[in-house]
Amino acid sequence: MDLLLLGIDGLPRWMWQQLADSGVMPHSRELLQSGTLVPMQSSLPEVSSAAWASIVTGLNPGGHNVFGFTDLMDGSYSLGFTSSRTFRAKPFWMRPASRPSLIINVPQTYPAQPFNGMLVSGFVALDLKRAVHPPDQLQWLESIDYAVDADMSLLQQGKPRFVQELRRVMTARCQALHHHWDREPWQQIMFVFTGTDRLNHYLWEDFEDLSSPLHQTFLDYYHEVDRQIGAILQRLDDRTLLAVVSDHGFARQRRSINVNCLLAEAGYLHLKPSARPSYSDMIPETRAFAMDPGRIYLHRQGRYPGGSVQPEQAEELLQELERYLLQLSVAGCPVVSQVLRGAHIYSGPFAHRVPDLVALPATDVALSGRMNLQELIEPTLINGRHTHEESTFFVRGTQHGVIPERMRVEDVLQVLQPEVQSLRKAA
Amino acid sequence: MEFKGHVDFRACGQAAFRRAAEGQLVVECRRRPEIGYFDPLSITFESCSEWKKTDCGYMLEGMKVLILGMDGYLGWPLALKLAKLGCKVYGIDNMLRRKLVAERGAHSVTEIRTMQERIEAARQHLGVDIEFREMDLLDRDALFAWIREIRPESIVQFAEIPSAPYSMADVDKAVNTIQNNVVGTLGLLFGVRDHAPEASIIKLGTMGEYGSPLTGRPLFEGLFPGDAVLQYQGQEWSLGGELTPRDPVSFYHVSKVQGTFSVYEACKYWWLRSYDVMQGVIYGNWSDELQAHPDLNTRFDIDEWWGTVVNRFVAQASIGMPLTIYGSGNQMRGYITLRDAMQCITRLVAAPPDPGQYDVINQVTDVFSVLQIAQMVATIGREFGLDVEVQRIENPRVESEEHPYEVIHDKLQERFGFSSESGFADEVRHLFRVMLQPENRDRILAQQGALFPKTRWSGEHGEMKVLERWKPAA
């Protein structure tokens, strides 16, 4: 086998090192000693859908068209959910001459598309029946109660029950990995752990608080992830290039702030009254609006049905918004740490669809862009948030490409597979 | 009426619902799966590329509509209207109506072409393509295979034998009516369930299903539990313990009531979706599309079995034959012109019901007594120099001749944006102009013997007695 690419959703580089060193993840400790671990920058914005799409294509969102979990359909206010259908670049396993690949639980691959290999989609997948290629493998997955995602509603029954669910899903997923690994001589395998991200979102406070009764539950889950990593490592010989990546880092979240509330308050966003506000309720007076997490779009004429911002007004408005966002504070704390221009950070065939600005959150803050403007600070059980910095990149051995000084998610393929890179250029 | 706001994806047969992990409801467009998944409440009719605005409200672009009974009086003009609006129209017919009319010694007053010629004329004069297969509704293998192939988004069920006196003439005709209508509709429902469950079914019923309740209970528009007590204009009405109270007035009407229950049950068991249209007595032969060329004519029957009352009265007046009123002539019925009926059905096709929804639509615009109709036809006949005579004859039917009649018919206007485009007088004037053309007049005279009723509900034989004859005052 040429390549095994392991994904661990939401695993910060520093935390992996810390849990490895402290003995919570002993297999990882051994593994980390056999290669190079560096921090990696996530995509912009730092959401899983965009970041995983970048990892598997080597492109930024301007190249693969995944800017978040949602997007507006061109020329309308229809809110679409990104999927393999809107993911417009070919992941490495779908490129011409790609060798047989086993791809399990990679986000943004639903519904499963035909290719040379087997794939089980990762989140967001709506129906297992359409998450599997080839479809004749569905029955076996159903027989082991394979779930594309954990049942998040179990949070209502308390965190311990939720963690139990995360474990159940991980066990079935790893069982699927080994079962299918045994079936065929795959040349490439990519497998993603997702429960880590879910755990971090809801139990981050328990991780940070050493006195929390669930602190050990948190560590135990990572210990189990590590045990699974050990089982995978055991099967590998030295000829396989092994890499471990995560899509973003993690940090404490104390409040989730709806940027659209702030834009409305400052007169940039105007909605007509509606029982269930949506983007189609924006009136032409709207000059800017946000989408999750911190994507800011000018309400440009020609881009949106009721858009009113003229091209010659855009630059001034962008500068005004940058100033406005950076000086914002809620409850005495800053909201935004950095504002980037879409035109500067994205490139590729979908560069015309990019957000005009991407705001990165300040410490302790998560940003959202909901159209329900009732609450500036949104009530949520989530207490951990993504970070743009400090995602994980690890590669075993020395037979790999040069790791850039500022490693980014879109550089992963380039480092791992110079030959994949040449295929990418050919594609 | 404008269909503003969000596309109702429950009504859009193109939407498949999924529930994402965190409970977010998303829809997927069956027509364009490549565009991915959407928040159903973020899509408006204006923004959805699959809907376009027509004179009959927002309609799915290129909607696939299967018309069962496309060769008939209603089926053909509907096919033309929908095709002209941009629908992809498919049709079947076993051509039975042509055969049965000929067996009665009658024929369409306006000459009609073969289906092949009609389709060619539609292509030539309206620029539309209609796909037709000669097929019997009861040939379920063929029907199901075609449904599976087309995957229609709407199915209009007109493939029924539509004559009360035919169904009462003898046992063979009664059985034929029940067999074709009841078994045909029942089979269709299984075909839709198995091969196109998302299609909406527009089922043609008739106001005659209701009968004419002697209590004066209004003919409520909808489906109510048997123990419902409904209020109308301050008065309460019990439905008498029956589901959708029905009191059919012939075996033909019995077949329609059975169809109503079959469709209702299918919607309940299998989440099919249907509008059951209680149509009033239809008349006229005019529509924008039919007018494009005489080769596009729809059939126009006037005989005892296959004609309807207004059409027959105009034909009788045109050849100097007295207008024949059965019994007192005080029987009240709901009426609608062909042109308005086509608009109504088109609007129902355009705005399909929710999955599992069965709804009753009362499709009438006016309520008249037969006497009133005779009076109005006679009056308009005078404009054409006709000295019209009216005769009352012994009533061959078993029906109430004196009864209250209150039809509630609000839904088409209020929910579907229907607005009548043709009134009684104009439609009758148009009919006179057509009937009085010499070739058409000859074709009426040639079947004069078939205009006077011979079929008694009692099964007895013998000529109906003429009770009274007069010329209505101007």
Side-chain angles (χ1 to χ4, degrees), chain A residues 8 11-35 37 207 218-219 221-227 229 233 244 392 394:
Chain A
I8 305 179
L11 174 70
R13 190 272 320 174
W14 61 265
M15 191 174 89
W16 196 23
Q17 186 74 64
Q18 182 182 316
L19 295 178
D21 291 345
S22 65
V24 173
M25 301 182 79
H27 296 289
S28 297
R29 181 177 185 178
E30 197 179 324
L31 176 64
L32 290 177
Q33 286 164 355
S34 68
L37 174 69
F207 168 58
F218 185 96
L219 298 183
Y221 186 85
Y222 272 94
H223 183 71
E224 177 61 17
V225 171
D226 185 69
R227 196 182 68 76
I229 291 173
L233 292 177
V244 183
T392 295
F394 169 81

Side-chain angles (χ1 to χ4, degrees), chain A residues 2-6 13 16 28 30-40 233 236 238 240-246 392-404 407 411-418:
Chain A
D2 298 333
L3 172 70
L4 177 76
L5 181 53
L6 270 188
R13 190 272 320 174
W16 196 23
S28 297
E30 197 179 324
L31 176 64
L32 290 177
Q33 286 164 355
S34 68
T36 309
L37 174 69
V38 295
M40 182 161 68
L233 292 177
L236 291 181
D238 291 343
T240 301
L241 183 62
L242 168 67
V244 183
V245 296
S246 72
T392 295
F393 178 77
F394 169 81
V395 58
R396 188 173 71 170
T398 53
Q399 299 300 309
H400 52 74
V402 177
I403 300 175
M407 179 74 186
D411 298 326
V412 168
L413 284 188
Q414 193 171 344
V415 174
L416 294 185
Q417 283 190 305

Side-chain angles (χ1 to χ4, degrees), chain A residues 155-166:
Chain A
L155 271 163
Q156 288 162 4
Q157 296 179 30
K159 289 178 183 178
R161 176 70 187 87
F162 174 60
V163 176
Q164 190 187 353
E165 166 72 357
L166 293 179

Side-chain angles (χ1 to χ4, degrees), chain B residues 180-193:
Chain B
N180 183 86
N181 296 4
V182 174
V183 178
T185 296
L186 183 64
L188 168 70
L189 295 168
F190 278 80
V192 176
R193 180 195 72 173

Side-chain angles (χ1 to χ4, degrees), chain B residues 105 263 366:
Chain B
V263 174
D366 300 290

Side-chain angles (χ1 to χ4, degrees), chain B residues 92 130 215 223 266 289 360 445:
Chain B
I92 68 163
I130 293 169
T215 57
L223 178 71
E289 296 77 25
V360 174
L445 285 167

Side-chain angles (χ1 to χ4, degrees), chain B residues 102-134:
Chain B
E103 277 177 11
R104 182 77 184 103
H107 46 254
S108 169
V109 174
T110 48
E111 279 202 75
I112 54 170
R113 301 291 165 216
T114 66
M115 186 49 86
Q116 287 70 22
E117 289 165 343
R118 285 177 154 185
I119 286 171
E120 181 50 40
R123 190 177 293 128
Q124 200 179 332
H125 302 293
L126 296 174
V128 298
D129 279 312
I130 293 169
E131 202 173 321
F132 174 77
R133 289 190 188 177
E134 188 169 335

